[in-house]
Amino acid sequence: MKIRTLEIEVLGEILLLCNQKVMFWEAQSMLILSDMHIGKSAHFRKNGIAIPNSVLKNDLNKLDQMISYFGAEQLLINGDILHAGDNTDVDFFCEWKKGIPADFHLIKGNHDRISKELEVKLCLTSIQEQLKAGPFCFVHEFDSQCTDFQITGHIHPGIEIRNKIKNIRLPCFAVTEKQILLPAFSEFTGLDTRNLPSRATFFPLTPNEIFEM
């Protein structure tokens, strides 16, 4: 796996955008990502659709490498850690998490329907609707009524690059004067190339590179 980063400055804070669908805030030693959708593959298998269980294993292996690479002491999942409640994929995640020294914080997303029992099982450091840290407000879905600079997820942003041979769709970060929209972390998610912020700078991602458009 090749790790490439691109540095941006937002409100005096240095952030590293990474081609592996994470963002690192060095001042807080915080690795930030969105839309893991743990349990999605198990949910499909339960409903008779043959999705390999390697999907979650690949996601967690990549996340493990990201935590080690950046030396992150905190992990912030900006919504949708889960896809469909509790299932065998959640069991696998909880067992994997025992070996990770970082604190895990969750901003609840629309898929995060977490019972008291599941909250105990996940054993996260904190679960919140939103988090204000430094100049940023972390929230899963963009709130047009909020005046803070927002770091969001939810949309699974993608950008279409057209050439003479074929059109290529790539995940991306989208950055505006008011928002950073994070890509979906899991490999088992679609891309939305339509409902993107206006007047944004896009940072498309490939397994080997990140670049600015």
Side-chain angles (χ1 to χ4, degrees), residues 44 103 134 192:
F44 274 59
D103 290 336
D192 187 340

Side-chain angles (χ1 to χ4, degrees), residues 2 13 39 56 63 87 104 107 118 150 175:
K2 292 186 178 180
E13 297 290 338
L56 178 59
L63 183 52
N87 58 31
F104 279 65
I107 305 302
L118 185 51
Q150 299 176 58
V175 180

Side-chain angles (χ1 to χ4, degrees), residues 29-193:
S29 190
M30 181 182 286
L31 190 69
I32 302 158
L33 61 142
S34 187
D35 296 278
M36 291 185 70
H37 287 275
I38 294 168
K40 186 174 182 179
S41 55
H43 177 72
F44 274 59
R45 289 194 297 274
K46 183 179 179 180
N47 288 277
I49 302 172
I51 302 297
N53 60 9
S54 60
V55 170
L56 178 59
K57 292 179 181 179
N58 291 342
D59 283 346
L60 295 182
N61 179 59
K62 180 172 70 171
L63 183 52
D64 200 353
Q65 292 182 65
M66 293 297 97
I67 294 170
S68 296
Y69 178 83
F70 289 105
E73 297 174 3
Q74 301 187 74
L75 183 76
L76 178 64
I77 303 166
N78 204 38
D80 286 357
I81 187 175
L82 301 179
H83 182 75
D86 199 358
N87 58 31
T88 55
D89 277 359
V90 176
D91 294 335
F92 188 89
F93 166 78
C94 291
E95 189 62 31
W96 167 85
K97 182 180 168 294
K98 291 177 183 178
I100 305 299
D103 290 336
F104 279 65
H105 304 279
L106 172 65
I107 305 302
K108 289 182 71 174
N110 55 299
H111 280 271
D112 293 321
R113 295 179 288 274
I114 301 175
S115 65
K116 290 295 183 182
E117 293 77 13
L118 185 51
E119 182 175 339
V120 171
K121 180 178 179 178
L122 288 168
C123 197
L124 302 173
T125 307
S126 69
I127 301 177
Q128 304 175 64
E129 297 292 337
Q130 63 175 246
L131 171 67
K132 292 189 178 182
F136 306 128
C137 179
F138 294 90
V139 61
H140 186 55
E141 298 183 52
F142 185 77
D143 181 358
S144 60
Q145 303 302 311
C146 179
T147 58
D148 295 318
F149 188 96
Q150 299 176 58
I151 297 178
T152 68
H154 182 57
I155 290 178
H156 307 181
I159 192 162
E160 190 170 58
I161 299 174
R162 301 181 180 183
N163 60 35
K164 294 181 180 179
I165 300 174
K166 65 176 181 179
N167 296 342
I168 302 171
R169 288 158 51 93
L170 296 173
C172 68
F173 291 89
V175 180
T176 74
E177 293 182 349
K178 297 181 178 180
Q179 175 188 18
I180 296 176
L181 173 59
L182 303 169
F185 181 77
S186 178
E187 68 179 51
F188 190 30
T189 54
L191 295 177
D192 187 340
T193 60

